[in-house]
Every structure is written in structure tokens, then in C-alpha cells.
Amino acid sequence: RETIRVSVAIDEASGLLWQEGCVGPKVQKGFFDLRDVESNFKNWQRADRAWAARAAKGERVRGPKGTFTSYFYDGAFHPFGKSWGAPFAPRDKCPLAPPSPPVCDPLVVPLPSVPCVNPPPPGGGGGNGRPPKTPKP
């Protein structure tokens, strides 16, 4: 079973991980996920995670012992183009959208301490806060 590519919910507005309350819209995108690679070898997994963190920054990012990330074994061969074959998922969650202001309701006492917005008039109105004119026969 192939486990290195996964679908992740992303906030399209920010490109970060989706959480309830993001600006949105919520979209599904494919990413690399190396958590299960070489899972029987914990030291190898640590090295894989370190490589993935460097690779997420791009090609030629320095690692231990003078090594660096490379799309393939040398800089001339690019079977997937200048890409890892899939992007790495973002680690951060999207910022939450600001809350909508409360609706002004003169029947609610006390009035909210934050500014409120008037609801649209019933029946569409004229857009000026007054009720629409009654048509003449």
C-alpha cells in the first residue's frame, strides 16, 4: 500500500492547514507524507524527517556532513521536473476569520458593546434603510 502521498484539507485563502473558522474555502490537495516510510527503523525515520524538513525548503539545502537536498542524484537529471513529485504539506494552521459583527436589534437590551450592523430591510427595501414605497394603483 502506498502511503507517501496523502490528501490534506487546506484553506485556499492562506494555503495553510484547514481548521474550522478559516476564511476558506476548504479544498483538498495532495502532498508527500513520510511518516510511515521506514517505520521499522526509528533512526532512519528521524533522518527522513530531517531530510523532508530541508527538502520542503527546496533544492540544495545543506544537511549533515556536507550533504544537500537534490531532486535526483545529480543536478542534471530531473525525471519529475524541478520538483519532488508532490509538495510537502504546510505545518501551520490557517488564521481564523474575524467574527461577523452582531446584528443591531433595538428590542435586545442592553445593546451590544461592539458596533453592530443593521439587518437588510424585509422585502429588499430601497437600500437606504427605509421601507420600500407602496406601489400606486
Side-chain angles (χ1 to χ4, degrees):
R1 179 180 129 218
E2 196 243 337
T3 61
I4 65 169
R5 288 178 286 211
V6 296
S7 179
V8 177
I10 299 294
D11 171 41
E12 191 172 55
S14 67
L16 300 174
L17 295 174
W18 174 264
Q19 64 177 332
E20 285 303 319
C22 291
V23 175
K26 176 180 168 182
V27 294
Q28 292 294 128
K29 292 191 175 185
F31 294 99
F32 267 140
D33 182 358
L34 300 177
R35 287 179 292 183
D36 290 337
V37 172
E38 301 173 328
S39 59
N40 292 333
F41 305 96
K42 297 301 175 196
N43 288 338
W44 293 7
Q45 274 195 310
R46 274 193 295 277
D48 292 340
R49 281 193 297 271
W51 174 86
R54 290 190 317 274
K57 296 175 185 175
E59 188 178 33
R60 301 206 52 82
V61 176
R62 284 237 175 253
K65 301 179 182 176
T67 63
F68 56 89
T69 58
S70 176
Y71 293 126
F72 216 70
Y73 63 89
D74 68 15
F77 186 58
H78 296 104
F80 304 108
K82 292 205 172 221
S83 150
W84 303 114
F88 289 92
R91 294 181 177 208
D92 298 327
K93 291 183 179 178
C94 63
L96 299 178
S100 299
V103 173
C104 296
D105 186 347
L107 301 178
V108 173
V109 177
L111 291 174
S113 60
V114 295
C116 55
V117 294
N118 289 319
N128 56 10
R130 295 184 294 230
K133 292 183 180 181
T134 306
K136 294 182 180 178

